[in-house]
Amino acid sequence: MYPETAYEITTLTPQQPTQRPAMLPHEIPPGVQMVTLPGGIRTLAYTPTQAPPAPPVPVAQPIPTWAKTTALLTPTVGGGVAAAGIGISYAAPGLIAMSEALWAAVALIAAAAVGVPVLLRLGRTVAGAGTGRGTTHITQNISASGMFGKASGTINHH
């Protein structure tokens, strides 16, 4: 039934003493393992090498909406901040000049608020002293009858 071979397969039974020394674990060639047969006999046997299991295929997960929104807003906000910084750097000399001009305008208004009444009072005093007379009062009385009536008036010098 089997072709004749030069090898004789023998199994060790508990009654027979082992005639060969056992192999040390580092002497066993790759692909060969010590196995225990169903009858309790331990022997060396070739074992098929199992391929390592394939790594699980990663499943693409959807990107959350908040992450998309943040990713889209980030360059916009950064660009706005950069543009504002550039604009302020260009506007700084003009703003400094404008603030100085505003302070000059405030000083002019303050000087006018104080100086104009003083000049007017000085002008009346000088005009009254030069003519020898006091001030002149003029009274006007104007009256009109109706909305489109002719107006008439009188001027009185005192």
Side-chain angles (χ1 to χ4, degrees):
M1 169 162 154
Y2 293 107
E4 292 189 25
T5 61
Y7 302 103
E8 183 180 327
I9 298 175
T10 59
T11 57
L12 297 176
T13 59
Q15 294 86 7
Q16 295 177 338
T18 56
Q19 296 176 0
R20 300 182 267 171
M23 292 179 73
L24 296 174
H26 71 315
E27 295 176 339
I28 299 174
V32 176
Q33 290 184 345
M34 180 69 73
V35 294
T36 304
L37 299 174
I41 300 171
R42 293 179 52 99
T43 184
L44 293 175
Y46 287 103
T47 55
T49 56
Q50 296 179 355
V57 178
V59 178
Q61 297 179 355
I63 298 173
T65 305
W66 65 266
K68 289 180 186 178
T69 305
T70 304
L72 291 174
L73 283 177
T74 300
T76 305
V77 171
V81 169
I86 292 170
I88 288 173
S89 70
Y90 281 126
L95 291 174
I96 292 169
M98 195 180 323
S99 69
E100 291 175 5
L102 286 173
W103 279 115
V106 167
L108 180 65
I109 291 171
V114 172
V116 168
V118 170
L119 286 176
L120 287 175
R121 198 167 291 144
L122 267 174
R124 285 185 193 161
T125 307
V126 171
T131 58
R133 299 186 333 203
T135 58
T136 305
H137 294 284
I138 300 174
T139 306
Q140 265 184 317
N141 295 323
I142 300 172
S143 62
S145 59
M147 188 167 184
F148 296 106
K150 186 175 179 183
S152 60
T154 58
I155 298 176
N156 299 321
H157 294 277
H158 296 266

